[in-house]
Amino acid sequence: MTDLETRTLDATGATLGFDVRRPTTGNNTGNGTGNDTGNDNGTGKGGEAGESTGGEPRALLLVGSPMGADGFRTLASHFTDRTVVTYDPRGVGRSARTDGAAESSPEEHADDLRRVIEALGVGAVDVFASSGGAVNALTLVERHGDLVHTLVAHEPPLARVLPDREAALAACADIHRTYLREGTGPAMAKFFVLVSHQGPLPDDWTDRPAPSPADFGLPTEDDGSREDPLLGQNMRGCTAHRPDFTALRAAPTRIVVAAGKESGEQFPARAAAATAAGLRTPLALFPSDHGGFLGGEYGQHGAPEEFARTLREVLDTNG
């Protein structure tokens, strides 16, 4: 069992909502004392794997984008021995934007993550980040590697690291334009086709006939709303981000890039493999696919028990 505490935090242009799950028994990193100085450089010098410098289980931050805290309920339930933190990225759920901006950048999200970690007052944390959250967490490590002991970056959709980057970037930009022009249904249909495609994208990808929203059970009428965090706010900034591999390799953080065993040659999995190559590290394979940690959230089922077991093994191993 865990105790759940919900907090809010002011950031530049947004108010962030996040949750802190604390173990009710045993050691607890979330005591707010700040005894973990954050000087652990990922080599194990600051404590054993999975532990802070005080010998306590290190806090674990679960990060998605645009998926919010609700998507990590199942995964969090497998780490009741740690303080587990989940949050809603800006523009999602409780984290309302206050600046009126229509799009978000990985740099903004990274600064939000910095604020959340510093507000915990426990020093360096472990981070599991998936999809756009992995892009944002990598950006955080580029800038503030001292805040993250181990980062597991699961299928970051970084189009710029792919050999077919021009086609991938064009496809993402086309989805964004379709959303602004026609609404959620047509844009999401294109998104589903993109992320399910196996292998490199052909150069004529955006010239192909548009898929029908009805084929995916999506609305065919435009309701006029343009506040979707995936299609509107994050689609272009996330996929077009260029990772700084020099800064990432120099960071004190241990970085593990992961992909789903069942993802095959889909866009995010291929990007994960290319990111691992850029870091000169092996690609870790996790159970299931892009949503392998989901246990019914949003009607999706992966293999959450096996996924959590693999994640624990990675976090508890010194690199």
Side-chain angles (χ1 to χ4, degrees):
M1 297 292 293
T2 58
D3 293 327
L4 177 66
E5 175 189 356
T6 296
R7 301 189 197 177
T8 59
L9 180 66
D10 289 333
T12 303
T15 299
L16 306 177
F18 65 101
D19 302 313
V20 181
R21 293 172 171 84
R22 305 179 190 277
T24 55
T25 59
N27 290 332
N28 183 359
T29 60
N31 56 18
T33 62
N35 290 333
D36 183 348
T37 63
N39 291 328
D40 188 342
N41 64 7
T43 62
K45 294 179 181 178
E48 296 299 322
E51 294 183 350
S52 69
T53 51
E56 304 158 335
R58 187 173 286 105
L60 174 61
L61 177 59
L62 305 178
V63 180
S65 181
M67 189 181 74
D70 287 346
F72 289 108
R73 288 179 178 176
T74 300
L75 186 58
S77 71
H78 290 277
F79 290 89
T80 56
D81 57 322
R82 291 183 181 229
T83 294
V84 177
V85 183
T86 56
Y87 93 122
D88 293 337
R90 62 173 54 217
V92 175
R94 301 161 295 178
S95 297
R97 296 202 69 135
T98 58
D99 58 4
E103 294 189 71
S104 300
S105 70
E107 289 77 14
E108 285 179 310
H109 288 300
D111 191 61
D112 293 344
L113 291 172
R114 173 189 65 81
R115 292 173 187 269
V116 170
I117 294 171
E118 290 179 344
L120 296 174
V122 296
V125 301
D126 286 341
V127 177
F128 169 77
S130 186
S131 194
V135 176
N136 302 335
L138 287 166
T139 307
L140 169 68
V141 170
E142 290 175 11
R143 298 172 167 218
H144 304 284
D146 59 308
L147 295 179
V148 182
H149 178 271
T150 297
L151 166 62
V152 179
H154 182 250
E155 297 201 1
L158 291 162
R160 289 193 182 275
V161 304
L162 296 173
D164 53 321
R165 61 181 64 85
E166 296 303 328
L169 288 168
C172 294
D174 178 61
I175 291 171
H176 180 75
R177 286 194 302 270
T178 300
Y179 174 64
L180 296 181
R181 184 177 62 246
E182 303 175 40
T184 300
M188 189 61 76
K190 287 186 174 182
F191 175 78
F192 285 157
V193 172
L194 172 64
V195 297
S196 62
H197 177 77
Q198 295 283 344
L201 298 178
D203 293 338
D204 67 346
W205 180 266
T206 56
D207 297 328
R208 297 184 173 191
S212 170
D215 291 343
F216 298 90
L218 296 167
T220 57
E221 298 295 325
D222 185 359
D223 64 4
S225 66
R226 294 296 184 270
E227 298 178 353
D228 188 279
L230 168 64
L231 303 171
Q233 293 185 40
N234 293 289
M235 177 59 64
R236 295 197 299 179
C238 173
T239 57
H241 179 69
R242 188 188 304 275
D244 185 341
F245 287 117
T246 300
L248 289 169
R249 290 193 297 265
T253 306
R254 174 184 172 230
I255 304 174
V256 179
V257 184
K261 293 179 180 178
E262 299 175 13
S263 295
E265 291 295 307
Q266 293 173 347
F267 168 20
R270 293 193 299 117
T275 301
L279 292 171
R280 301 169 190 164
T281 61
L283 177 70
L285 293 179
F286 271 52
S288 192
D289 53 20
H290 192 69
F293 53 89
L294 295 172
E297 294 89 345
Y298 316 115
Q300 300 181 48
H301 293 267
E305 291 187 10
E306 296 88 344
F307 196 101
R309 188 180 308 119
T310 301
L311 177 58
R312 183 179 292 278
E313 290 171 354
V314 171
L315 295 176
D316 288 348
T317 301
N318 276 318

